[in-house]
């Protein structure tokens, strides 16, 4: 049976973060061919997403709504991590040492240093990462052959779409409710994100 050809739906689902460029068409064939590597990388991504949510509570405990929402997010990401680890175990894979993510590192270099600028940027960078994750997981859901894996990745893609919306809303809250400067800054980060993706090239990884 041939795989369905991935369609080109909105690049990051239905949320406010619309990516400027689709993934390179070579990414999905590579990800399917080297899916074990992608799965291990995915585990690291879920681990770091949970840790980032908890870090947000530590650094910005006074931002309205953030602590409770980040606590729920950390729990959800940890549950995703547990499921990915189960898939890895079933395939005889183990979690190696995290070598770092040049994609996330490239975005984080753009975070402003002022207190308020850093707060907004950290939330927006998280939103952009979730949007790209949504796109990549959607592609896997369309390209994988096993029905159970297709359903799993479709479910995760939907979750990531919700996460990018959550981080964007929190960024607007952090800016005092004024969406105009947040949207302008997001546009700058989206241009940078496309440049970072092109610079690091096609990898057997989620980003």
């Amino acid at each position: 049976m041939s795989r369905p050809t991935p369609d080109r739906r909105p690049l990051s689902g239905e949320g406010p973060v619309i990516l400027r460029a689709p993934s390179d068409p070579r990414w999905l064939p590579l990800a399917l061919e080297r899916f074990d590597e992608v799965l291990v990388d995915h585990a690291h991504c879920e681990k770091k997403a949970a840790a980032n949510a908890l870090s947000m509570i530590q650094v910005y405990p006074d931002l309205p709504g953030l602590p409770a929402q980040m606590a729920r997010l950390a729990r959800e990401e940890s549950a995703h991590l547990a499921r990915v680890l189960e898939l890895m175990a079933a395939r005889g894979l183990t979690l190696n040492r995290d070598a770092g993510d040049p994609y996330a590192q490239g975005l984080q270099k753009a975070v402003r240093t002022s207190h308020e600028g850093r707060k907004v940027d950290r939330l927006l960078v998280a939103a952009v990462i979730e949007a790209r994750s949504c796109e990549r997981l959607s592609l896997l859901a369309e390209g994988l052959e096993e029905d159970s894996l297709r359903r799993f990745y479709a479910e995760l893609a939907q979750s990531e779409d919700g996460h990018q919306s959550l981080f964007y809303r929190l960024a607007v809250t952090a800016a005092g409710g004024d969406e105009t400067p947040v949207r302008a800054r997001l546009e700058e980060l989206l241009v940078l994100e496309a440049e970072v993706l092109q610079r690091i090239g096609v990898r057997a990884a989620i980003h």
Side-chain angles (χ1 to χ4, degrees), residues 145-164:
E145 291 185 338
E146 291 183 39
D147 285 343
S148 60
L149 287 176
R150 291 166 65 89
R151 288 193 299 270
F152 175 59
Y153 276 97
E155 175 188 333
L156 292 190
Q158 186 175 15
S159 293
E160 303 297 75
D161 197 31
H163 298 166
Q164 59 115 329

Side-chain angles (χ1 to χ4, degrees), residues 23-34:
S23 289
D24 190 303
R26 296 172 295 170
W27 179 82
L28 181 59
L30 178 66
L32 296 174
E33 178 186 347
R34 296 164 58 181

Side-chain angles (χ1 to χ4, degrees), residues 8 12 16 18 20 48-49 62 75 84 127 133 149 173 178 182:
R8 283 302 178 193
S12 55
I18 304 301
R20 290 295 168 271
K48 286 182 281 195
D62 56 344
R75 182 175 58 196
V84 174
S133 296
L149 287 176
T173 300
D178 187 353
V182 176

Side-chain angles (χ1 to χ4, degrees), residues 127-185:
V128 171
I129 292 173
E130 296 283 2
R132 182 61 68 181
S133 296
C134 174
E135 186 229 17
R136 291 278 172 93
L137 298 183
S138 294
L139 290 173
L140 285 173
E142 294 163 355
L144 287 162
E145 291 185 338
E146 291 183 39
D147 285 343
S148 60
L149 287 176
R150 291 166 65 89
R151 288 193 299 270
F152 175 59
Y153 276 97
E155 175 188 333
L156 292 190
Q158 186 175 15
S159 293
E160 303 297 75
D161 197 31
H163 298 166
Q164 59 115 329
S165 296
L166 169 61
F167 279 115
Y168 179 79
R169 292 195 304 271
L170 287 171
V172 173
T173 300
D178 187 353
E179 189 172 3
T180 300
V182 176
R183 174 55 64 177
R185 180 57 177 160

Side-chain angles (χ1 to χ4, degrees), residues 27 31 34-49 80-101 137 140 149 152-153 156 203-207:
W27 179 82
R34 296 164 58 181
F35 183 63
D36 284 356
E37 293 176 49
V38 173
L39 199 57
V40 173
D41 179 73
H42 185 187
H44 283 301
C45 289
E46 298 290 359
K47 174 197 68 180
K48 286 182 281 195
H80 292 168
L81 171 59
R83 293 176 68 182
V84 174
L85 291 172
E86 288 173 1
L87 288 174
M88 287 174 53
R91 300 169 77 96
L93 303 174
T94 56
L95 191 64
N96 54 16
R97 181 176 292 276
D98 187 357
D101 183 352
L137 298 183
L140 285 173
L149 287 176
F152 175 59
Y153 276 97
L156 292 190
R203 308 187 307 137
I206 296 297
H207 303 121

